[in-house]
Amino acid sequence: MRGENNFRIQDLVDITHVQNLAEANFHASGLPMTMIDAVDDAILVRAGWSGICQKFHRANPRTALKCVRSDHYVTGRSGEGNSIQYKCENGLWHIAIPIIVAGRHMATMFITQFFFDDETIDSERFVNQAKEYDFDVDSYLQAINSLPIFTKEKIEYGLVFYKVMARFIVDLAEQSLKVISTKNILDQREDYQSLVDNINI
């Protein structure tokens, strides 16, 4: 029998529906979103990803390791329903919302890969980064310059949606756990009754 602590978020929620919601919101708002498994860092959902991660950061083993370390930054730093804003080790803004189900951090939802409109982009940092990791400098800078730029107000509005979405995912997952728990109890009762019925007294 599988214990509650062995379930992953993809066992409890149809990830296809989450992907569809993320894509719909990206097309409406322009806000890119990623959801990552908190157990093995598998990317479960991604909408609006730019070339910077697919062609560079996640494609290079050294910068991919920085991505993973950045993804772990949120672990233990934010409670249920809260978010944490930080720059990843590769220099891009992330806002993370933990998906906590029955007290377990099962996944993390991110608004990712963007800059704020009131900051100055440190081009020199990215030139040096391209050289350090053997990226083509011109292609890398083109990918950096194509990243979305958002106002703080837009991010705040987007967070309202994604926090509600995170709560929705948590509710679905917890309902699934209750169904599984109830089924296990019923199965145990049936096994017990079968045992009693077949005892040769």
Side-chain angles (χ1 to χ4, degrees):
M1 187 180 300
R2 195 171 180 182
E4 285 188 6
N5 289 336
N6 294 324
F7 285 102
R8 310 276 281 278
I9 192 70
Q10 55 267 45
D11 298 321
L12 305 172
V13 175
D14 188 337
I15 296 299
T16 303
H17 295 326
V18 181
Q19 177 70 46
N20 291 339
L21 282 171
E23 289 177 358
N25 187 63
F26 171 70
H27 289 306
S29 68
L31 292 174
M33 188 275 258
T34 304
M35 191 168 83
I36 294 176
D37 190 312
V39 177
D40 63 3
D41 305 313
I43 298 171
L44 305 175
V45 174
R46 63 183 183 189
W49 265 33
S50 66
I52 195 69
C53 281
Q54 291 175 301
K55 296 178 181 178
F56 296 100
H57 295 162
R58 295 274 177 179
N60 180 296
R62 290 186 294 162
T63 49
L65 181 60
K66 293 168 74 173
C67 291
V68 171
R69 286 201 302 263
S70 297
D71 293 342
H72 289 176
Y73 179 81
V74 69
T75 305
R77 293 175 183 267
S78 181
E80 184 176 345
N82 296 323
S83 62
I84 183 167
Q85 176 181 303
Y86 63 98
K87 266 195 175 178
C88 72
E89 293 186 23
N90 289 311
L92 308 180
W93 282 109
H94 285 55
I95 300 178
I97 305 167
I99 307 293
I100 300 173
V101 180
R104 282 183 59 218
H105 182 185
M106 287 193 173
T108 307
M109 183 184 293
F110 296 91
I111 300 175
T112 57
Q113 309 163 22
F114 69 93
F115 295 112
F116 283 108
D117 68 334
D118 60 354
E119 69 177 311
T120 300
I121 298 173
D122 187 355
S123 297
E124 185 178 354
R125 179 232 169 102
F126 291 111
V127 169
N128 292 334
Q129 195 158 273
K131 292 176 179 177
E132 180 180 357
Y133 297 109
D134 298 320
F135 298 146
D136 178 79
V137 175
D138 290 338
S139 298
Y140 186 66
L141 288 180
Q142 184 178 359
I144 289 291
N145 292 330
S146 68
L147 288 172
I149 297 174
F150 298 125
T151 64
K152 287 183 170 62
E153 290 77 14
K154 186 175 182 66
I155 291 297
E156 288 173 4
Y157 290 138
L159 268 176
V160 171
F161 173 83
Y162 280 124
K163 284 182 178 181
V164 170
M165 185 173 167
R167 182 66 252 175
F168 178 66
I169 293 169
V170 169
D171 288 345
L172 286 177
E174 291 184 344
Q175 287 298 320
S176 293
L177 281 177
K178 288 177 182 177
V179 170
I180 292 167
S181 178
T182 300
K183 184 178 183 301
N184 287 340
I185 291 170
L186 292 174
D187 288 346
Q188 287 174 2
R189 287 178 180 173
E190 288 178 4
D191 290 343
Y192 174 76
Q193 189 61 50
S194 177
L195 179 63
V196 169
D197 293 341
N198 288 285
I199 290 177
N200 186 10
I201 300 177

